[in-house]
Amino acid sequence: MSLVLPPLSLYVHMPWCVRKCPYCDFNSHAAPELVPQAQYIDALLEDLQNDLAAAQGRALTSIFFGGGTPSLFAPDQIGRLLEGVRRQIRFDPGIEITLEANPGTIEHGRFSGYRDAGVNRVSLGAQTFNEEQLKLLGRIHGAGDIARAVEELGQAGIDNFNLDLMYGLPAQNVSQALQDLASALALQPTHLSQYQLTLEPGTVFYHRPPPLPDPDDCWQMQIDSQELLATRGYEQYEVSAYARTGRRSRHNLNYWEFGDYIGIGAGAHGKLTRPDAGGAIVRTARVKQPREYLSRAADSRVSEQRVVPAGDLPFEFMLNGLRLIDGFDEETFESRTGLSFAVLEQSVSQAERKGLLERDGDRHWRATAEGQRFLNDLQELFLPT
């Protein structure tokens, strides 16, 4: 089998937040009094040079500013970065450019500036509309800030936006979770990401766990939410992602379909197919600490560059592909890993016998309803032996 170059995206990590939330395990850091915006943008543009050759003539299909809190950066700095990237890599005519924003950091008129800079999609970290829960989660915004941010988006002419929502919050019941969802849907997002709160190692919540709902209640929250979203015209296309027609996240789909992405910024990760290196798939990572990232020379900001062993590729592909409700086809597996689908036959057969995986068409596969519920168990069947 031969590798085929997949679509290419760019992930840009902005590492600072107003303060660190107790549940967050992302590479985020409390912002200094003055965020070194211009210096960091300069470093990002230098950092891009490290992986520029891996573009292999491809245009970028999406750019995602994640964090941290990218909305701490002024629109002119975001625009300067995008212009600098455009000078080095072609943009697909329909490129999706997403900026994550905290509703508590949005000033009046700021979204208009981001729109003028080139941003055409925004992801708002709502998390919950319950004021008490927002305080427990350490969020700096209130429910009213979410509505005001959505209003600002409309005034700026940005009609494509996602709301991040969490369920399974401390002491939350099913009714409260559904009320949260109803509040989110009232704002008419084009996309909604709904995640269950999990206690991740290294977080405050992990070391001092809050009282969480019973797992059966969390499952009921998920099932009831799925039903409500479906009745409102939101199609579930991934375990935690729902979208109106034509509004699926191009950037996240590229992750789940085992596409390529360059990752720049403190702690950013990337995945690149390198035909010039014998068809290897390479994982990259940047140094994590913002201060160290800024102090290093451009070519020493890459802390890891690792060729993925062929034996690990089936699991890495399935770790992503099995999250998609529509599943994956055998041709995509073969073209993006360079392996024959035959290497999966034993694991696929085992997953079928367990009722976790089913064939959907001639060469297409997807997780069953049971497989979606016990996704970790299904994914583990494809671990290298």
Side-chain angles (χ1 to χ4, degrees):
M1 296 294 168
S2 60
L3 281 166
V4 176
L5 283 174
L8 179 68
S9 297
L10 173 67
Y11 175 73
V12 184
H13 193 73
M14 316 300 254
W16 291 289
C17 288
V18 174
R19 68 169 176 244
K20 182 84 170 179
C21 296
Y23 61 86
C24 178
D25 71 333
F26 294 136
N27 183 39
S28 59
H29 307 263
E33 186 175 347
L34 289 176
V35 174
Q37 297 189 33
Q39 183 186 3
Y40 194 72
I41 296 299
D42 289 341
L44 289 170
L45 290 171
E46 292 174 354
D47 192 1
L48 183 61
Q49 294 293 320
N50 288 307
D51 289 328
L52 201 57
Q56 299 280 322
R58 288 173 288 179
L60 289 174
T61 61
S62 65
I63 299 174
F64 194 100
F65 290 89
T69 306
S71 53
L72 289 176
F73 279 70
D76 65 318
Q77 295 295 342
I78 298 295
R80 187 163 70 87
L81 177 67
L82 289 173
E83 183 56 35
V85 173
R86 190 195 296 267
R87 286 197 295 266
Q88 300 178 74
I89 308 180
R90 288 186 302 113
F91 284 13
D92 183 89
I95 189 171
E96 173 193 272
I97 302 178
T98 302
L99 180 92
E100 284 188 335
N102 185 319
T105 64
I106 296 303
E107 302 168 7
H108 180 67
R110 204 169 175 97
F111 280 135
S112 295
Y114 291 133
R115 178 207 61 208
D116 293 344
V119 172
N120 54 25
R121 184 176 182 271
V122 168
S123 181
L124 288 173
Q127 313 310 353
T128 177
F129 289 78
N130 182 295
E131 298 289 355
E132 183 179 345
Q133 292 284 9
L134 284 169
K135 291 177 183 176
L136 285 172
L137 293 174
R139 304 298 292 179
I140 65 169
H141 69 273
D145 293 319
I146 305 170
R148 280 190 289 275
V150 171
E151 183 180 2
E152 287 277 341
L153 282 170
Q155 293 173 354
I158 300 177
D159 66 350
N160 190 13
F161 72 96
N162 169 70
L163 288 180
D164 273 342
L165 203 63
M166 300 174 73
Y167 68 95
L169 301 179
Q172 187 182 50
N173 59 41
V174 176
S175 176
Q176 289 171 330
L178 288 176
Q179 180 56 56
D180 253 355
L181 180 56
S183 297
L185 293 177
L187 298 177
Q188 300 183 18
T190 54
H191 190 285
L192 193 135
S193 301
Q194 191 186 40
Y195 307 95
Q196 182 179 344
L197 173 64
T198 54
L199 305 184
E200 301 292 348
T203 65
V204 172
F205 273 5
Y206 184 81
H207 295 289
R208 295 197 295 275
L212 297 181
D214 181 90
D216 287 340
D217 285 342
C218 289
W219 176 244
Q220 195 62 50
M221 292 175 194
Q222 181 179 336
I223 293 299
D224 290 351
S225 294
Q226 288 171 341
E227 291 179 358
L228 178 57
L229 283 157
T231 64
R232 298 294 183 87
Y234 291 84
E235 180 185 18
Q236 184 181 15
Y237 67 101
E238 188 267 347
V239 170
S240 303
Y242 305 79
R244 291 196 179 277
T245 302
R247 297 296 196 170
R248 295 182 178 189
S249 168
R250 293 185 69 184
H251 189 84
N252 289 339
L253 269 173
N254 194 42
Y255 289 154
W256 297 321
E257 293 174 347
F258 214 53
D260 278 359
Y261 52 97
I262 297 171
I264 59 174
H269 289 253
K271 176 252 174 185
L272 297 164
T273 305
R274 299 293 299 267
D276 58 331
I281 291 176
V282 177
R283 294 284 186 184
T284 64
R286 269 44 175 183
V287 293
K288 291 185 65 174
Q289 292 296 324
R291 185 176 299 175
E292 183 182 3
Y293 178 84
L294 287 170
S295 66
R296 287 200 179 196
D299 60 357
S300 65
R301 292 189 176 114
V302 179
S303 62
E304 179 184 347
Q305 188 162 315
R306 176 180 62 89
V307 174
V308 180
D312 291 351
L313 287 174
F315 175 68
E316 292 212 5
F317 179 93
M318 300 299 277
L319 192 64
N320 294 278
L322 289 172
R323 294 183 64 88
L324 292 169
I325 303 302
D326 293 340
F328 65 94
D329 58 67
E330 296 178 13
E331 291 86 351
T332 301
F333 173 82
E334 292 177 342
S335 67
R336 297 195 176 176
T337 64
L339 303 173
S340 168
F341 191 74
V343 302
L344 293 178
E345 284 182 356
Q346 184 174 346
S347 297
V348 165
S349 296
Q350 188 178 3
E352 274 192 292
R353 289 195 301 272
K354 291 176 177 287
L356 303 176
L357 190 68
E358 63 185 1
R359 188 189 296 272
D360 178 31
D362 184 29
R363 301 191 70 198
H364 196 91
W365 298 86
R366 66 180 179 187
T368 62
E370 192 77 356
Q372 291 173 26
R373 182 173 185 180
F374 299 102
L375 184 60
N376 288 342
D377 294 338
L378 173 55
Q379 290 167 329
E380 286 175 4
L381 295 176
F382 295 89
L383 280 167
T385 56

